[in-house]
Amino acid sequence: MIGLISATAAGAAARDRLAAAWPDRTRVYEGAAGDAVRAAFAECGQLVCFLATGAVVRLVAPLLTDKGSDPGVVCVDESGRFAVSLVGGHGGGANDLAREVGEVLGASPVVTTATDSAGVPGLDTLGLPVEGAVPAVSRALLDGEPVALDAEVPWPLPPLPVAPRGAYTIRLTDRVVDLSEREVVLRPPSLVVGVGASRNAPVDEVLGLVDSTLREAGLSPRSIAELATVDAKADEPGIVAAAERLGVPLVTHPAEELARVAVPNPSDAPLAAVGTPSVAEASALVRGGELLVPKRKSAMVTCAVARRPGRGRLAVVGLGPGARDLLTPRAAAELRRASVLVGLDQYVAQIRDLLRPGTRVLESGLGAEEERARTAVDEARRGYAVALIGSGDAGVYAMASPALAEAGDDIDVVGVPGVTAALAAGAVLGAPLGHDHVSISLSDLHTPWEVIERRVRAAAEADIVVTFYNPRSRGRDWQLPRALRILAGHRSPGTPVGVVRNASRADESSRLTTLAALDPATVDMMTVVTVGNTATRQIAGRMVTPRGYRWQEETR
């Protein structure tokens, strides 16, 4: 919950705007500012104070205890010009909150955290437990000193400006290690602890066996991803309580699924009790991985530990039609998150300034779509966080299709939508897509012309607005005239046609013409051609397709 505090009428007005925008996330604290801040600090995970920064500093200073647990505090001036991340930039989420508040109120976020200012992710913001000399290694990253990454366990980290060797080291491991004063260790959630237990096994015995098993194997409990067991033990009090105390989820599996897992130490006892010859080992291994610790037993509990490799992450990102303000915040966030970027060289150039230091860029020229798709999937399979970029929406005549044809269920895939060329051109023209519409690519490099022509004919007969992608190039100059002739067999010569080149870019150009007057020679590959249906009209210099024929008839 976010506590909102104000002291004046102007501050209350801005406070109420934020409360209206986030009704389920915020709570307004009334009364004297000091009392309100103290109450919110104790009850909320974050605070937004519509007060002077000096006043908030004096109010929260006596309340601060530890940056890992203190709430994030953001200050907004009474005129609503700035949202200042004051306390808890990383741990309390104040940096991100300042940006969010800025978006709602139109304020400029002010973030002074060094790593954020330099575009380097803070070691405490990577989503993994971190130990060791965090200030020293963070300072080395900021100062450009060589920092090595020693990754025993591959994991999809965001980009870090690391070197093959360095005086400072970031270690990524689930093992217990001795650290020097120039090292930090990141703990990936890579360990799955399989547990079996007799009925009413005490929680202390479960925790004791888990602790001793990890300690003797030299493994860190901070890398436990989950406790796993058989479905029949889903409500076993000792196992449930152990997961709660460890702060990890309890995951259960059907006995028949566990029975199919090959394990080194099957037993008749669990087979008779719950229907599988192994609970602990099979639960640890059922989703794949390497068995690090075979089954160990106490009086009433069994335990085994497996290492599950980190799943790579592939984000297929649509960059929009080209204008920076049409790049979505989600797309920008994925670009900052990716440690590997794969894309067409001209698209990489558009967004290179958004990448964090340390991002590895794999770019190639036109005509290498399948190669880029394979490269992106291969990098994700190696455990990296990968962004594969395409213009417009990456799922529309772009990279999502070839990439997902290559990707299996061994990686995580995220799609990030973008503004398509058809939508960007439609906004320039007016409202040509107000009713049913279809997009058709006239490129026959991957699709036989007979198939394309059949689709154009179907759209013509159905009286659907058509947007043509890839309408004409130097080597393909006959497809557009052929498609226009097909449409002309079903639509009048005066049917409105919109032609937009480089929609949303600096050299954007557009014009309205008609089906009879359009000269295909004026069209190229950077152009989108939208042909209206029988209801489309030119109104005040704009191309408009009514939402329905009945509506059109009623307004004539």
Side-chain angles (χ1 to χ4, degrees):
M1 187 62 68
I2 302 171
L4 305 181
I5 301 100
S6 63
T8 66
R15 175 203 68 191
D16 292 344
R17 286 174 56 198
L18 197 61
W22 299 339
D24 298 326
R25 298 176 59 189
T26 57
R27 175 182 171 185
V28 173
Y29 283 79
E30 303 280 4
D35 294 338
V37 166
R38 283 187 287 273
F41 199 93
E43 298 169 357
C44 297
Q46 296 174 318
L47 282 70
V48 179
C49 301
F50 297 85
L51 304 165
T53 54
V56 178
V57 167
R58 285 190 293 272
L59 289 171
V60 302
L63 309 176
L64 298 174
T65 56
D66 180 78
K67 71 175 187 177
S69 58
D70 289 336
V73 180
V74 170
C75 285
V76 179
D77 62 295
E78 292 194 353
S79 59
R81 293 179 300 167
F82 303 103
V84 182
S85 174
L86 187 67
V87 172
H90 286 164
N95 292 350
D96 290 336
L97 180 60
R99 297 184 183 101
E100 289 187 85
V101 170
E103 289 179 6
V104 174
L105 301 181
S108 298
V110 179
V111 176
T112 58
T113 307
T115 50
D116 289 66
S117 301
V120 177
L123 296 175
D124 55 350
T125 69
L126 301 180
L128 303 178
V130 59
E131 305 166 11
V134 175
V137 176
S138 296
R139 188 163 51 250
L141 288 171
L142 291 170
D143 291 343
E145 297 187 47
V147 177
L149 176 63
D150 179 8
E152 179 184 353
V153 181
W155 210 261
L157 294 174
L160 291 167
V162 294
R165 292 177 298 277
Y168 297 84
T169 304
I170 299 170
R171 302 178 68 172
L172 183 68
T173 181
D174 51 24
R175 297 190 179 277
V176 176
V177 293
D178 293 326
L179 296 176
S180 75
E181 61 185 11
R182 293 190 170 193
E183 290 183 316
V184 297
V185 61
L186 297 173
R187 297 294 186 192
S190 53
L191 302 180
V192 179
V193 179
V195 177
S198 302
R199 186 182 298 277
N200 294 323
V203 60
D204 289 341
E205 183 174 342
V206 177
L207 289 173
L209 182 60
V210 170
D211 178 70
S212 63
T213 298
L214 293 175
R215 186 175 61 256
E216 291 171 17
L219 298 171
S220 171
R222 301 190 76 184
S223 280
I224 299 177
E226 62 188 48
L227 251 56
T229 190
V230 67
D231 280 352
K233 296 296 179 178
D235 297 324
E236 185 64 44
I239 296 178
V240 173
E244 291 176 351
R245 284 216 224 160
L246 290 169
V248 299
L250 175 63
V251 179
T252 66
H253 304 280
E256 56 270 22
E257 185 177 5
L258 297 182
R260 294 192 291 268
V261 179
V263 297
N265 300 293
S267 172
D268 292 334
L271 179 62
V274 294
T276 174
S278 171
V279 173
E281 291 178 340
S283 296
L285 288 170
V286 67
R287 294 290 180 256
E290 172 192 4
L291 188 64
L292 298 181
V293 184
K295 179 175 65 176
R296 299 188 67 233
K297 299 174 65 176
S298 65
M300 301 180 71
V301 181
T302 58
C303 171
V305 184
R307 175 184 290 147
R308 186 178 297 171
R311 287 171 62 90
R313 187 176 190 274
L314 174 61
V316 187
V317 181
L319 301 180
R324 178 57 61 86
D325 60 352
L326 291 182
L327 177 74
T328 67
R330 187 180 301 180
E334 288 294 346
L335 295 177
R336 290 192 295 270
R337 176 173 182 167
S339 60
V340 180
L341 181 83
V342 181
L344 180 66
D345 48 12
Q346 58 184 292
Y347 298 151
V348 171
Q350 291 179 21
I351 49 82
R352 191 181 292 272
D353 63 299
L354 296 178
L355 304 179
R356 278 179 160 159
T359 304
R360 184 156 49 94
V361 178
L362 305 176
E363 54 187 315
S364 52
L366 288 168
E369 288 86 357
E370 287 80 6
E371 179 186 344
R372 283 194 292 276
R374 284 193 294 270
T375 297
V377 172
D378 288 345
E379 291 291 328
R381 284 183 173 141
R382 292 173 60 194
Y384 293 110
V386 182
L388 174 63
I389 58 175
S391 67
D393 184 288
V396 179
Y397 305 122
M399 294 306 303
S401 180
L404 268 61
E406 294 281 340
D409 62 1
D410 54 338
I411 61 174
D412 296 326
V413 177
V414 176
V416 181
V419 178
T420 69
L423 296 179
V428 171
L429 296 170
L433 309 182
H435 204 278
D436 295 338
H437 54 276
V438 63
S439 295
I440 298 176
S441 171
L442 294 183
S443 172
D444 57 358
L445 295 177
H446 301 286
T447 305
W449 175 254
E450 294 76 15
V451 175
I452 297 172
E453 185 170 311
R454 187 165 66 247
R455 292 169 179 170
V456 174
R457 197 173 303 282
E461 293 173 353
D463 197 27
I464 294 175
V465 175
V466 182
T467 297
F468 288 123
Y469 281 68
N470 307 312
R472 185 177 180 273
S473 67
R474 291 180 180 179
R476 296 185 301 98
D477 59 0
W478 57 268
Q479 287 91 340
L480 179 59
R482 182 82 64 85
L484 294 175
R485 284 198 297 273
I486 294 172
L487 292 174
H490 299 268
R491 300 177 193 183
S492 71
T495 299
V497 175
V499 181
V500 182
R501 188 176 191 278
N502 283 335
S504 88
R505 301 186 183 184
D507 57 347
E508 171 189 289
S509 63
S510 65
R511 68 184 189 277
L512 281 178
T513 183
T514 64
L515 191 55
L518 175 62
D519 179 5
T522 63
V523 173
D524 63 12
M525 283 289 287
M526 306 303 292
T527 305
V528 172
V529 178
T530 301
V531 182
N533 64 12
T534 58
T536 304
R537 297 288 183 267
Q538 287 195 38
I539 302 174
R542 304 179 186 92
M543 187 175 176
V544 180
T545 301
R547 291 182 61 186
Y549 289 92
R550 183 179 303 167
W551 175 85
Q552 177 194 12
E553 292 170 356
E554 291 173 352
T555 56
R556 281 180 177 172

